[in-house]
Amino acid sequence: MNFDRVSRFAFAAALSLGFVSLAGLTSNRAARADDTKPYVIENGRVDKHVFNGYRRYGDNCLRCHGPNATGSSYAPDLTDSLKHMTKEQVEETIINGRMDVNTANQNVMPAFGTNPDVVENLDDIYAYLKARSDGALGRGRPKQIGEDDD
Ligand code: HEC
């Protein structure tokens, strides 16, 4: 666990969020073992972090980035973006948003820095997106490890 990164992130988050509770953020992060492969997938089934990320993604991101994070005419394919963005860059973009001022259509990535449903689940959203980007997770609703077959 890299505490320097934790504190830098907490500091950046504190700057941009001001008031959002960081206790949940840091403890969630402390539970994450490996940032380069921040997910566990066994026989196509995902851990609870990835499943939670899938759900939060569906609630907050899907309407622009598409049902499987593969993008839309409005917003980029995140399975592609995650191949060349660092975790910090992804988190920074989610917290602060971004506007592409160079395009004629002015597509906007909203800032989620004051949205606890996103901020408190950043690690899990990242884990879901990374699993999709790595090709470790297919399309659609994943099954959780331990979940019954139906
Ligand atoms: C209202 C539509 C919209 C929503 C909702 C939205 N995004 Fe975006 N997002 C965009 C657009 C448009 C861009 C591209 C902005 C640009 O061109 O700079 C973008 C860019 C990004 C990027 C950078 C991609 C790259 O290749 O540079 C990431 C990462 C991202 N979004 C993640 C998310 C996540 C995670 C969520 C949900 C928490 C989310 N977005 C919700 C519209 C949206």
Side-chain angles (χ1 to χ4, degrees), residues 78-131:
L78 295 179
T79 66
D80 189 43
S81 300
L82 273 267
K83 289 182 169 66
H84 56 76
M85 292 177 84
T86 64
K87 187 179 188 209
E88 282 71 23
Q89 288 171 329
V90 171
E91 289 172 340
E92 196 276 335
T93 304
I94 296 170
I95 288 173
N96 296 320
R98 195 204 291 164
M99 189 192 299
D100 187 350
V101 289
N102 296 317
T103 59
N105 41 355
Q106 301 240 324
N107 293 353
V108 175
M109 163 68 192
F112 286 91
T114 56
N115 181 333
D117 192 48
V118 172
V119 173
E120 290 168 13
N121 294 287
L122 267 187
D123 277 351
D124 290 355
I125 293 171
Y126 181 80
Y128 165 71
L129 292 175
K130 190 68 178 162

Side-chain angles (χ1 to χ4, degrees), residues 20-146:
V20 172
S21 160
L22 292 168
L25 247 184
T26 47
S27 64
N28 188 15
R29 174 168 298 246
R32 181 80 61 220
D34 179 4
D35 279 345
T36 63
K37 186 172 174 270
Y39 50 82
V40 175
I41 298 181
E42 291 168 0
N43 303 322
R45 289 165 182 257
V46 304
D47 65 2
K48 65 180 197 294
H49 295 291
V50 175
F51 191 79
N52 182 46
Y54 158 79
R55 288 188 47 227
R56 308 294 174 169
Y57 174 89
D59 288 347
N60 297 287
C61 323
L62 178 150
R63 69 180 187 274
C64 292
H65 290 281
N68 296 289
T70 48
S72 69
S73 57
Y74 186 77
D77 179 343
L78 295 179
T79 66
D80 189 43
S81 300
L82 273 267
K83 289 182 169 66
H84 56 76
M85 292 177 84
T86 64
K87 187 179 188 209
E88 282 71 23
Q89 288 171 329
V90 171
E91 289 172 340
E92 196 276 335
T93 304
I94 296 170
I95 288 173
N96 296 320
R98 195 204 291 164
M99 189 192 299
D100 187 350
V101 289
N102 296 317
T103 59
N105 41 355
Q106 301 240 324
N107 293 353
V108 175
M109 163 68 192
F112 286 91
T114 56
N115 181 333
D117 192 48
V118 172
V119 173
E120 290 168 13
N121 294 287
L122 267 187
D123 277 351
D124 290 355
I125 293 171
Y126 181 80
Y128 165 71
L129 292 175
K130 190 68 178 162
R132 287 283 303 130
S133 177
D134 287 353
L137 178 64
R139 294 168 179 256
R141 177 190 181 280
K143 276 193 180 274
Q144 289 189 79
I145 293 166

